[in-house]
Amino acid sequence: MDTLLSVLQSAAVLVGGLAARVGLLLVVLAVLSVPVFLMVSGMKGVEAVRRRLAGVARVGRLFWSDQVYYAPSHAWVRPVNRQRVLVGVDDLAQRLFAAPLGWKLPQPGTQVRAGEPVVEVRTAGRTASIMSPVSGIITRVNDAVREDPSLVHRDPYSRGWLFAVNPSNSAFQALPAGRNGKAWLSGEEQRLTRFYEVQLGAAAADGGDFIEHPPTLLTDDQWQTLTQQFLANRS
């Protein structure tokens, strides 16, 4: 009997020790997870602040900015001062290149015309041209985009700008902006949804969002139609 009690006591001590160690391990893991949680929360907070500063908010499934002019080719223009504007692509355009492999940017000093090709993007074996939304002379390009093409995907209205231009006129100011830009982009979102529904049927949406990597799902003819309808400078 004494032997059995001794065995039970030893087992209880062992189980208690293991429980204490597991508890201590859980406490340590919880403590270590706090900095990670704070870091992730901080990154999300920084991203949210950056979006607010850029006037970025949601319209349907897309993000839009109230600080830019929207061109029919889904490029945008943001005035920096009287002699310089920044040019980029809007959230709808960047979603056509969910995994961009490279952006071919023009050289500083290049003269550009509104509605003419100025940037080329490569993605999943396909290429497409981005039309300039403004006329003038390019003064600078965003080298960060060359080094990290996904920057346009992560932050299209701020860090993902493509190039700066000294505009030759103010014609871009006739493009939709503010509430008009928001309404226009919302209409374009609906138009893109209809395009995918017609071209891809049930594969047009995934979890309520646009399909990912459309270049890999569309045929050559469908891709050409897509770029003509959404990246060309339509009147």
Side-chain angles (χ1 to χ4, degrees):
M1 187 67 178
D2 292 340
T3 302
L4 179 59
L5 290 175
S6 178
V7 171
L8 292 176
Q9 289 176 349
S10 298
V13 171
L14 178 60
V15 171
L18 290 175
R21 292 177 182 177
V22 171
L24 179 61
L25 177 61
L26 292 176
V27 170
V28 172
L29 290 176
V31 171
L32 292 177
S33 67
V34 170
V36 176
F37 173 78
L38 293 176
M39 182 179 68
V40 173
S41 299
M43 292 174 61
K44 291 182 178 179
V46 170
E47 188 64 26
V49 170
R50 182 182 293 114
R51 284 177 175 172
R52 283 198 296 270
L53 292 176
V56 175
R58 272 198 176 275
V59 51
R61 291 172 290 186
L62 298 175
F63 284 103
W64 74 287
S65 173
D66 63 2
Q67 298 180 7
V68 306
Y69 294 90
Y70 289 88
S73 58
H74 286 278
W76 55 255
V77 184
R78 183 170 72 240
V80 177
N81 52 47
R82 292 184 178 180
Q83 297 182 338
R84 189 173 69 142
V85 300
L86 295 181
V87 173
V89 294
D90 65 27
D91 193 36
L92 184 147
Q94 69 84 14
R95 288 171 186 261
L96 304 183
F97 319 111
L101 302 178
W103 295 84
K104 185 178 180 181
L105 303 178
Q107 294 295 322
T110 301
Q111 186 168 0
V112 294
R113 285 174 165 265
E116 294 185 354
V118 63
V119 172
E120 183 179 278
V121 57
R122 295 182 295 105
T123 176
R126 298 277 174 77
T127 61
S129 296
I130 304 298
M131 309 298 169
S132 177
V134 61
S135 298
I137 297 177
I138 293 177
T139 60
R140 183 184 175 189
V141 297
N142 189 356
D143 289 329
V145 168
R146 283 176 170 165
E147 298 173 0
D148 181 8
S150 68
L151 192 58
V152 176
H153 176 64
R154 301 197 312 271
D155 196 2
Y157 294 112
S158 185
R159 294 176 299 161
W161 61 276
L162 299 178
F163 57 89
V165 176
N166 181 356
S168 58
N169 56 58
S170 60
F172 68 89
Q173 294 179 356
L175 297 172
R179 292 184 178 180
N180 291 335
K182 181 179 182 179
W184 176 80
L185 191 60
S186 177
E188 289 294 277
E189 174 195 359
Q190 297 173 20
R191 193 166 70 90
L192 181 59
T193 298
R194 290 193 298 269
F195 176 89
Y196 285 148
E197 288 175 349
V198 171
Q199 300 294 333
L200 299 175
D206 179 13
D209 204 350
F210 292 123
I211 61 171
E212 294 185 359
H213 309 296
T216 64
L217 299 177
L218 299 173
T219 65
D220 291 342
D221 289 341
Q222 289 173 329
W223 175 253
Q224 184 176 6
T225 301
L226 175 69
T227 55
Q228 287 177 345
Q229 290 191 14
F230 290 92
L231 299 181
N233 195 62
R234 306 182 319 279
S235 58

